[in-house]
Amino acid sequence: MPVTAARYPLALRVLHWLVALLVLLQLGLALVDVLGSQTAPEMAEAAIQGHISLGVLLLGLMLLRLVLRLWYATPPFPRQMRRGARWLART
């Protein structure tokens, strides 16, 4: 396993954007639940069930992403990045 890479591996990039899109979908489902609970309770119930299912999927994807992040090499930080920012980025 190399110590550094020129950019993040494709698997990590795909997972990153997949998780980002699913989080936006989560927000939309939560909004449907909150706004629809008074006017359309059936739709709100379906939205919250989808929200829960999607949350479990997101948890699995985030765990997979964490494992892959620990496994693959990552690009080095830019030289102009401050020491404190580097420390925060590693945590």
Side-chain angles (χ1 to χ4, degrees), residues 26 29 46-58:
Q26 278 284 69
L29 287 172
I48 198 66
Q49 290 301 320
H51 182 81
I52 292 168
S53 298
L54 197 56
V56 172
L57 175 64
L58 273 168

Side-chain angles (χ1 to χ4, degrees), residues 17-82:
W17 289 109
L18 179 61
V19 166
L21 290 173
L22 291 176
V23 165
L24 289 176
L25 181 58
Q26 278 284 69
L27 291 171
L29 287 172
L31 189 62
V32 167
D33 178 50
V34 169
L35 296 178
S37 60
Q38 298 297 321
T39 56
E42 301 84 20
M43 187 170 67
E45 180 64 29
I48 198 66
Q49 290 301 320
H51 182 81
I52 292 168
S53 298
L54 197 56
V56 172
L57 175 64
L58 273 168
L59 175 63
L61 288 174
M62 289 301 295
L63 291 174
L64 174 63
R65 194 170 163 219
L66 177 63
V67 168
L68 290 176
R69 170 64 177 82
L70 295 172
W71 181 263
Y72 285 118
T74 57
F77 294 120
R79 280 183 229 171
Q80 67 270 22
M81 193 174 192
R82 293 184 178 180

